[in-house]
Amino acid sequence: MENQLTSEIKHILRFIFDTLDTPSFSDNSLMNGKAGHILFMCNYLNYHNINEDQKFSDSFGRLTESLNFITYPGHCTGRSGINWLFSYLTFNNILEKKDNLIIRFKNDELQMECMRLAQMGNYGFLHGAIGVAYAILNSTNLSNNESFFVDLFQRIRTNLLENNGLVHHFDFSILSQDLTRVNLGLAHGITGIIKFCIECQRRGVCKNESASLCKELVLYLRKNVNQNHSVSYFPKMINTRAKSEEINSRLSWCYGDLGISFILYQVGKCFKDTELMSFAVEILEKHAINIANNNEINDIGLCHGRAGILHIFNKMWLLTGRFSFKEASTFCVKKTLKEFNQIKSRLTIKETSNIDDYSLIFGSAGVGLALLSYINSDTEWDDCFFLN
């Protein structure tokens, strides 16, 4: 007999499934639109052992019919994110390999766009070169793309040499790097590059280059830990001219301690660095123990809201078996259920909004996947958030 918490989660999951993608929904992207809805539907239907569903089929059909309208290369809102979804569906035997090869965006086009973004200095995961490169890394013909990865690591190395060993924050308002700041986060900053490096290690791609770059960037992170850990270990940004800006960071996937330390834990596992793993667990466990006292969480979604926090704590429970992570994830689940029942698909918790958000990154699709992972322990989908 299932407990009350699981029953409440299932009720919310059904609500989310029923309210996702409709024929009038126009955004097709992974993080903001239809592709993200399909990812939720796929996992929801699999949980209920449903192999065929008309709503899923209709949504996937509408997505494939609209591919020509998707022009941006990035992971969040563009072609790379769509390719990631096709790879995921193929891996899970939902999309046949031959069909995937026909409908996906071609690697040679993505390679050109990736290098263009890299030359601009945009190395972000969500909107920059790293997200595009990861889609290529996930493709089925890695051997045909080897020279591309060599060129990409050379481009990153050149950027480091030109900027005193730093990868500066990319400022979209001026479409170039801000030479006064370094972004540490997973979504837009150097932690995303670190994660890409260990994914290259796992696949045997540019092993020497990726290992060297990864260790350099990890060392930079550790040299810039805040002296006072009362709010956060890591700042949101490093001001390269005066360490006075944005010393503390919010608790979230995109920025700050949660995303950074979870990736540091993965780096430790990759290179068998037990000290780094212990350091990462120390940070995560401190926040897990204090989660009930954190009053700065104003959103519900995966990116910088409570769903992202509960999901990372849940993953750490599954990885380490430490009960502090289990307690923290359960606390966040209960808060998420309460808040979701109050606002349904609204954007924020504390501010009234008239905008519904069904997206993967901010809205109900992402909340649903985090809740589903809590009850079935399947976190494979979060590879699209650079977590798996």
Side-chain angles (χ1 to χ4, degrees):
M1 183 176 180
E2 66 184 30
N3 60 38
Q4 182 179 352
L5 192 60
T6 301
S7 179
E8 289 182 39
I9 290 173
K10 287 183 175 181
H11 177 75
I12 293 294
L13 293 176
R14 182 70 214 190
F15 171 84
I16 293 172
F17 181 82
D18 289 342
T19 54
L20 285 185
D21 186 39
T22 63
S24 62
F25 196 83
S26 59
D27 193 313
N28 299 299
S29 68
L30 177 62
M31 291 294 181
N32 290 327
K34 195 184 274 66
H37 298 179
I38 290 169
L39 179 62
F40 172 81
M41 291 179 197
C42 168
N43 281 269
Y44 178 81
L45 294 169
N46 183 61
Y47 176 69
H48 289 283
N49 296 312
I50 300 173
N51 295 322
E52 295 184 12
D53 179 81
Q54 192 61 49
K55 181 173 183 175
F56 178 87
S57 298
D58 290 345
S59 294
F60 188 77
R62 286 193 292 271
L63 175 65
T64 57
E65 290 168 2
S66 63
L67 293 180
N68 289 337
F69 298 101
I70 302 171
T71 57
Y72 189 73
H75 179 77
C76 180
T77 59
R79 296 182 169 190
S80 298
I82 300 298
N83 273 13
W84 179 92
L85 177 69
F86 291 160
S87 295
Y88 176 88
L89 295 176
T90 300
F91 182 79
N92 285 280
N93 299 313
I94 297 168
L95 177 64
E96 289 193 19
K97 185 177 179 179
K98 62 180 179 61
D99 294 328
N100 181 359
L101 293 173
I102 292 170
I103 64 176
R104 69 187 291 114
F105 297 104
K106 305 309 176 188
N107 276 350
D108 55 353
E109 298 173 2
L110 290 179
Q111 288 174 11
M112 292 176 58
E113 290 293 337
C114 180
M115 294 306 296
R116 180 182 65 82
L117 292 169
Q119 287 163 5
M120 292 171 63
N122 180 0
Y123 294 102
F125 168 58
L126 284 183
H127 303 293
I130 293 301
V132 181
Y134 190 53
I136 299 168
L137 191 66
N138 279 327
S139 65
T140 55
N141 54 343
L142 276 179
S143 59
N144 296 336
N145 299 301
E146 186 174 350
S147 62
F148 160 73
F149 292 108
V150 172
D151 291 344
L152 178 61
F153 277 106
Q154 287 179 346
R155 178 63 250 176
I156 298 173
R157 181 61 63 187
T158 299
N159 183 96
L160 290 169
L161 292 173
E162 292 173 347
N163 293 284
N164 298 315
L166 301 177
V167 180
H168 289 104
H169 171 63
F170 187 79
D171 188 337
F172 282 92
S173 67
I174 57 174
L175 293 179
S176 65
Q177 289 185 328
D178 178 351
L179 300 182
T180 69
R181 296 195 296 170
V182 176
N183 188 322
L184 302 188
L186 176 56
H188 310 289
I190 65 172
T191 300
I193 302 176
I194 292 170
K195 170 63 173 172
F196 178 71
C197 288
I198 58 176
E199 289 303 315
C200 288
Q201 285 288 303
R202 288 181 58 235
R203 292 163 172 80
V205 173
C206 296
K207 290 196 74 170
N208 292 335
E209 296 90 339
S210 58
S212 174
L213 179 60
C214 179
K215 292 173 181 179
E216 287 178 40
L217 295 178
V218 168
L219 182 61
Y220 180 81
L221 279 176
R222 298 202 66 173
K223 283 183 176 179
N224 285 280
V225 171
N226 289 330
Q227 291 184 352
N228 184 343
H229 304 157
S230 59
V231 177
S232 68
Y233 280 67
F234 295 102
K236 178 180 179 180
M237 298 272 189
I238 296 295
N239 187 323
T240 59
R241 296 182 179 174
K243 264 187 136 179
S244 59
E245 182 186 36
E246 299 178 274
I247 294 300
N248 293 313
S249 184
R250 68 195 299 176
L251 197 64
S252 65
W253 164 78
C254 53
Y255 284 102
D257 290 359
L258 243 61
I260 294 172
S261 48
F262 187 80
I263 299 305
L264 290 181
Y265 183 83
Q266 292 191 6
V267 174
K269 290 192 73 172
C270 180
F271 294 106
K272 296 180 172 57
D273 185 340
T274 55
E275 189 277 330
L276 183 59
M277 291 173 67
S278 297
F279 175 64
V281 169
E282 171 194 321
I283 299 171
L284 290 161
E285 194 158 41
K286 177 191 173 183
H287 287 296
I289 292 169
N290 294 323
I291 187 63
N293 300 317
N294 190 316
N295 297 315
E296 302 301 318
I297 305 167
N298 298 326
D299 302 278
I300 197 170
L302 277 174
C303 182
H304 46 259
R306 199 175 299 280
I309 298 169
L310 87 81
H311 185 63
I312 290 178
F313 285 150
N314 185 41
K315 285 181 72 76
M316 288 305 295
W317 155 247
L318 296 172
L319 286 166
T320 68
R322 288 176 178 251
F323 199 66
S324 57
F325 293 127
K326 177 65 172 176
E327 289 181 319
S329 61
T330 300
F331 173 83
C332 289
V333 165
K334 291 177 179 177
K335 290 281 287 185
T336 300
L337 291 173
K338 180 180 178 181
E339 290 157 355
F340 193 87
N341 281 321
Q342 291 173 346
I343 65 172
K344 296 301 183 187
S345 300
R346 300 301 180 194
L347 283 171
T348 59
I349 298 164
K350 293 188 175 179
E351 298 178 9
T352 301
S353 171
N354 292 320
I355 303 174
D356 289 326
D357 193 320
Y358 304 103
S359 71
L360 183 59
I361 192 165
F362 299 125
S364 58
V367 174
L369 282 168
L371 292 172
L372 184 57
S373 289
Y374 179 82
I375 60 175
N376 72 357
S377 300
D378 180 359
T379 64
E380 187 180 282
W381 59 267
D382 69 13
D383 183 61
C384 68
F385 281 87
F386 244 14
L387 293 175
N388 197 22

